[in-house]
Amino acid sequence: MDKKMTMEARIEAFYRQSGGPHNPRIDKLLQKHLLYGKDHGMPGYRETFADALMDVVLQDPSLLLLFERIQRSRVARSDHSKWEALEQRLERRFQKIEAELQAIQARLDELAGCMESGSMPKIDSLDR
């Protein structure tokens, strides 16, 4: 067949050749056609929608350029979000360390005040 057929015409021709839509062998015939049909990619491999889409993109230079730009922006966005997450974790750690240092400084000031006044701090206050 040299003329191009619509998808509907192709489906109708398939059913006419295979004995109609209620033929119990239809599933087997469809699988064989999807695996080995000339219009379904590499022989022995069932082409997915993503495969067909990639074929279209790779064969069209303008779509390929658009695809590359989209991929670059995804990678850049992904890298940016990773750095933001790392920055947030480091900021939380820094705040925690800063609070601990302030508590230590307050305790040291308290102990220094006790030493200057000559009084000893209470034992239970040392265990903080």
Side-chain angles (χ1 to χ4, degrees), residues 20-55:
H22 300 294
N23 183 350
R25 294 184 8 179
I26 290 287
D27 287 335
K28 188 175 183 179
L29 292 169
L30 277 174
Q31 285 298 338
K32 186 175 179 184
H33 174 73
L34 291 173
L35 285 172
Y36 301 105
K38 293 178 185 175
D39 57 341
H40 289 284
M42 296 185 309
Y45 174 76
R46 184 170 181 177
E47 187 177 42
T48 64
F49 179 74
D51 295 333
L53 190 60
M54 285 305 294
D55 285 346

Side-chain angles (χ1 to χ4, degrees), residues 110-128:
E110 182 184 336
L111 289 173
C114 289
M115 289 180 73
E116 286 176 1
S117 67
S119 66
M120 291 297 291
K122 295 180 182 176
I123 299 293
D124 62 337
S125 67
L126 288 176
D127 293 334
R128 278 198 249 172

Side-chain angles (χ1 to χ4, degrees), residues 32-114:
K32 186 175 179 184
H33 174 73
L34 291 173
L35 285 172
Y36 301 105
K38 293 178 185 175
D39 57 341
H40 289 284
M42 296 185 309
Y45 174 76
R46 184 170 181 177
E47 187 177 42
T48 64
F49 179 74
D51 295 333
L53 190 60
M54 285 305 294
D55 285 346
V56 170
V57 169
L58 292 175
Q59 292 173 9
D60 185 342
S62 61
L63 287 178
L64 184 58
L65 180 63
L66 181 64
F67 178 74
E68 288 174 353
R69 288 184 178 171
I70 290 170
Q71 288 300 96
R72 281 191 206 128
S73 70
R74 281 184 182 169
V75 168
R77 212 173 336 138
S78 171
D79 289 346
H80 183 69
S81 64
K82 287 177 186 176
W83 283 110
E84 282 181 350
L86 176 63
E87 183 181 7
Q88 290 172 355
R89 284 195 310 268
L90 290 174
E91 182 67 29
R92 285 191 300 267
R93 273 182 79 187
F94 176 73
Q95 289 172 352
K96 183 179 176 185
I97 291 170
E98 190 174 32
E100 290 174 0
L101 284 175
Q102 288 174 352
I104 291 170
Q105 183 64 47
R107 183 67 181 137
L108 287 174
D109 291 344
E110 182 184 336
L111 289 173
C114 289

